[in-house]
Amino acid sequence: MSTSLFDLTGRRALITGSSQGIGFSLAQGLQAAGADIVLSGRDPEKLSIAAEKLGGVKTLLFDVTDHAGVKAAIDRFEAETGPIDILVNNAGMQHRAPLEDFPPEMFQKVLQTNLTSIFNVGQAVAKHMLGRKSGKIINIASVQTVLARPNISPYTATKGAVGNLTKGMATEWARHGLQCNAIAPGYFDTPLNAALVKDADFSQWLEKRTPAGRWGQLDELTGACIFLASQASSFVNGHVLYVDGGITVSL
């Protein structure tokens, strides 16, 4: 019985930004737990390659920053294919620059991609979930939800907001049968962190700063995602689950 709590057979999961990195890895993990997967992105070629790797999955092409486009795509999918039971809001981006020199157009882009996207997709999917009185929304936050580092202040601002938007979703939608939570990854070896991974000084600093003493591996996020997507978390709402090797609890 304990294992069945984590079984996602018969559930459909949409993962945004799932052509690569964390999104693709989470899609793999949810698929292994039995979920039917819908990969989403805005690059049709990358999406096609990712879908081929997983096999037996559906794809949904849209730009997460386009509110009208997201709503149209989600409504069409629900009408033609069926319900989305699990949403993983993973799409995100990074841009590094000193705050005093940070280009305003890039600030807007980071804001739209990391935060507005969660409102756009979350709202579109939740409107269908609310009618069914069930659904799982998992937003991808970050250790930057509670920490800051130089040169990424706008990113930090968006991830702090993701944590609070998750709480807001739970506050409004839990009474209607939805569970809305977030996963906050620490430092993982992903395309988004490629520049940091290549930086020997940063990697050395990170290994000393993190109690676990290393970078995270992508498959180490899978268990947290399956938990929050499954019946095992039926009374967990508004929670930000840090998967970070202990970096947020250690000085």
Side-chain angles (χ1 to χ4, degrees):
M1 178 172 175
S2 58
T3 304
S4 68
L5 285 174
F6 299 91
D7 185 7
L8 300 179
T9 301
R11 313 291 284 173
R12 182 178 290 116
L14 168 66
I15 305 97
T16 68
S18 47
S19 297
Q20 62 181 7
I22 287 176
F24 183 78
S25 181
L26 293 180
Q28 281 183 306
L30 293 176
Q31 184 183 53
D36 296 322
I37 300 300
V38 185
L39 298 178
S40 175
R42 59 183 179 182
D43 184 324
E45 187 178 348
K46 279 187 177 180
L47 206 54
S48 177
I49 292 169
E52 213 172 300
K53 287 178 183 175
L54 284 186
V57 302
K58 298 188 183 304
T59 60
L60 196 51
L61 188 69
F62 58 76
D63 181 345
V64 292
T65 68
D66 176 3
H67 185 272
V70 166
K71 184 179 185 304
I74 296 297
D75 288 350
R76 185 170 58 250
F77 185 92
E78 286 260 351
E80 295 177 357
T81 305
I84 295 166
D85 306 296
I86 302 158
L87 167 64
V88 181
N89 271 316
N90 168 74
M93 67 165 292
Q94 179 64 281
H95 183 82
R96 294 179 173 87
L99 185 57
E100 65 271 20
D101 298 320
F102 207 94
E105 66 275 12
M106 289 308 301
F107 180 88
Q108 291 300 324
K109 189 173 182 181
V110 170
L111 183 66
Q112 291 289 315
T113 305
N114 293 356
L115 177 60
T116 305
S117 66
I118 289 181
F119 167 79
N120 290 345
V121 187
Q123 184 187 67
V125 173
K127 284 190 174 181
H128 296 277
M129 291 178 168
L130 290 168
R132 295 188 288 268
K133 298 191 178 303
S134 71
K136 300 278 190 172
I137 296 178
I138 303 165
N139 300 322
I140 301 304
S142 167
V143 290
Q144 265 71 48
T145 299
V146 291
L147 299 176
R149 274 189 54 76
N151 298 329
I152 59 167
S153 293
Y155 178 87
T156 300
T158 63
K159 290 301 182 178
V162 168
N164 275 333
L165 182 54
T166 301
K167 295 173 186 178
M169 287 177 168
T171 301
E172 298 206 34
W173 296 338
R175 72 193 73 176
H176 301 293
L178 277 62
Q179 286 87 53
C180 307
N181 296 286
I183 297 172
Y187 284 87
F188 282 75
D189 187 353
T190 68
L192 196 65
N193 285 330
L196 296 180
V197 174
K198 291 177 183 176
D199 185 333
D201 289 338
F202 183 87
S203 285
Q204 186 178 36
W205 170 86
L206 179 68
E207 288 165 7
K208 289 181 178 178
R209 174 69 178 80
T210 305
R214 60 179 176 83
W215 286 86
Q217 300 302 308
L218 283 177
D219 59 4
E220 292 178 297
L221 290 168
T222 298
C225 193
I226 292 172
F227 167 64
L228 293 177
S230 71
Q231 184 61 24
S233 59
S234 60
F235 202 55
V236 179
N237 242 314
H239 182 65
V240 180
L241 175 54
Y242 289 88
V243 184
D244 63 0
I247 197 170
T248 54
V249 299
S250 172
L251 287 173

